[in-house]
Amino acid sequence: MKKLMLGNEAIARGAYEAGVRVVSSYPGTPSTEITEFMAKYDEIYCEWAPNEKVAVETASGASLAGGRAVSAMKHVGLNVAADPLFTMSYIGVNAGLVLCVADDPGMHSSQNEQDSRNYALASKIPMLEPADSGECKDFMKKAFSLSEKFDTPVLMRLTTRVAHSQSLVEVCEREDLPLKPYEKNIAKNVMVPANARPKHPAVEARTEQLSAFSETSDLNKVIMRDTEIGIITAGISYQYVEEALPNASVLKLGMVWPLPENLIRDFAAKVKTCYVIEELDPFLEQNIRAMGISVIGKELFPKVDEYSAALLRSKILGEKAADTVSAAEAVPVRPPVMCPGCSHRGVFYVLHKLGLNVSGDIGCYSLGCAAPLSSIDSIICMGASVSAAHGMEKAAGRDFAKKTVAVLGDSTFIHSGITGLIDIVYNKGTSTVIILDNSITGMTGHQQNPSTGFTIRNEPTRQVDLVKLAEAVGVDRVKVVDPFDLDLLEKVVKEEVAADEPSVIIAQRPCALLKKAGYSGTFVINDKCKNCKMCMKLGCPAISITENGPKINDTLCVGCGLCPNVCKFGAIEKVN
């Protein structure tokens, strides 16, 4: 039976059919749905781990114990997981181990454009790259065979367009695999220097064996057509090539590391002009040129952003894009904003009002940088808000710290903020950390996390107590406040930044999109309005300016009740 599936769903289906037992991941767009679809299969144990490093370590342990395992993450998550990744390359596997990484060309939901193929080369781990959903499923099954045949983890690279596009998938039965025997093998699995030294030559030999395998593998396909133009490509770029240059000869690489040198050399010799088309880095291009093969690559094609069929036709054929119709007037810019009723809005309103320096983090609350809240000064990576605030204090002094706070979400705090807080306490810092506890992992689509009290399958579990956790690492000043109680929040923030010791403020209110937020009705602005525009400073998308002053759009208002708290004239009242 064939079925339309998202690439991420097909990855999950391939893992299911391959007999996977354990999946451990941390949500991150565009990879999140892989694990969410896995959780729908009762035969697979699934979990959200606190972060990607823990997830890969958990999957690695499952592999060593004899069960096929998967960990999925976005490209920046692979940075977090790099430590176990490189060591597992030396250790290898017992049962198959596949790590799925979804890159984000164009930065639709990311802080950088990272090309994860570089990790395959650096860690000396084979990497496959499917071009559609059908290949997502098939490549997953082949990845487990590769993993066990060559005693190696396997990386599966997706990009946003493959992860979030649909195509046909052949649905098959699950392979019922017994648990592989667990054997105590210190020389293989214990990476102290004496055991690791002989592993490096073995890994190099494995790379040569994988290269030889790649020469004849059906993962790589040669499509000979007109030999005037030859294209070497992989993944989503293949789809653009097929649309833009249907008559060109193509070498489609499904295994992007290690590369099949003889196959590439033979293909390049058969075409007059050979192009390498790839997103993002010149990864294939540089390695092919190192073979002494002449190709055209990034001197013609951009190193940034996504490609398109129109781009390829323009660069290779010199075709201009078809005429387009322009709007008579410029379309207004519509930047992303926090939702109406967002539990974070009150925090950023107060921080902006107080003129504080704000060390920010990754999450919905990143939007606190946008006008009119304009609160966040820096965003580096998950959990960095806490560590960066500490560094700011150590560089600029205590007076600077009295005007500075770190802000991050509950899931982000669990992910990698705890160690930063320990650093502050241990090294005699005085930073104030605000944890925006909205009872969910919001930005990636409402996933549970250790602070919510529920598992990936919504089963009740032990809930991390953020107050006790902060106290346990040595923070004596811990306050829990409702971020919509603006007067209290402002008072607490002022007190805590002034204190000469570390402090944690937990701004606790459910995400507006959760049922337990409990919002109802709508608000209106009555004739008491003095047109002072204080309500506009909240940046709520339900409030706009008209010729007659501010107005609340009742189709957007969720009835959260924040705006009356900033109106000094009682001009905002609830209806229905």
Side-chain angles (χ1 to χ4, degrees), residues 301-341:
F301 307 107
K303 294 181 181 178
V304 301
D305 211 344
E306 296 179 296
Y307 286 3
S308 66
L311 172 72
L312 301 190
R313 283 193 292 264
S314 170
K315 295 294 185 181
I316 296 176
L317 304 178
E319 292 184 2
K320 292 183 179 180
D323 291 337
T324 57
V325 177
S326 299
E329 298 181 7
V331 177
V333 176
R334 299 185 67 185
V337 294
M338 288 185 282
C339 302

Side-chain angles (χ1 to χ4, degrees), residues 45-90:
Y45 168 78
C46 266
E47 68 174 29
W48 290 128
N51 62 36
E52 294 86 356
K53 179 178 184 290
V54 173
V56 170
E57 291 162 348
T58 299
S60 298
S63 166
L64 295 178
R68 286 184 167 182
V70 170
S71 184
M73 64 213 75
K74 68 183 296 177
H75 59 292
V76 287
L78 191 57
N79 299 332
V80 181
D83 197 359
L85 173 78
F86 277 71
T87 301
M88 286 306 294
S89 176
Y90 275 37

Side-chain angles (χ1 to χ4, degrees), residues 6 21 44 46 62 96 101 155 275 373 409-410 456 515-516 535:
L6 286 174
R21 286 174 175 261
I44 301 176
C46 266
V101 55
L155 286 161
Y275 298 88
L373 298 170
D410 52 322
I456 190 172
K515 289 183 179 179
K516 64 180 178 180
C535 55

Side-chain angles (χ1 to χ4, degrees), residues 15 98 114 276 287 290 292 316 361 364 395 402 416 436 479 535 551:
V98 177
Q114 180 177 305
V276 177
N287 283 284
I316 296 176
D361 223 299
C364 295
K402 287 183 177 180
S416 47
L436 305 177
K479 302 286 180 66
C535 55
K551 180 181 179 181

Side-chain angles (χ1 to χ4, degrees), residues 402 415 456 468 573:
K402 287 183 177 180
H415 179 284
I456 190 172
K468 290 182 179 179
E573 60 182 353

Side-chain angles (χ1 to χ4, degrees), residues 206-224:
R206 182 183 72 198
T207 300
E208 293 181 5
Q209 294 163 8
L210 283 160
S211 294
F213 166 84
S214 186
E215 296 286 1
T216 58
S217 171
D218 61 359
L219 290 164
N220 303 318
K221 297 179 180 178
V222 176
I223 307 166
M224 294 306 300

Side-chain angles (χ1 to χ4, degrees), residues 432-495:
T432 297
V433 176
I434 303 177
I435 301 173
L436 305 177
D437 182 8
N438 66 348
S439 306
I440 206 71
T441 307
M443 192 177 208
T444 49
H446 284 188
Q447 290 77 34
Q448 304 293 347
N449 68 69
S451 73
T452 67
F454 294 91
T455 70
I456 190 172
R457 291 191 169 110
N458 288 315
E459 300 161 339
T461 186
R462 291 293 294 269
Q463 181 178 6
V464 172
D465 187 320
L466 296 176
V467 174
K468 290 182 179 179
L469 193 157
E471 292 173 343
V473 303
V475 179
D476 294 325
R477 302 179 65 94
V478 182
K479 302 286 180 66
V480 179
V481 297
D482 180 352
F484 279 18
D485 188 341
L486 299 179
D487 291 338
L488 177 60
L489 177 61
E490 182 176 343
K491 176 176 178 291
V492 169
V493 171
K494 286 179 177 178
E495 290 174 351

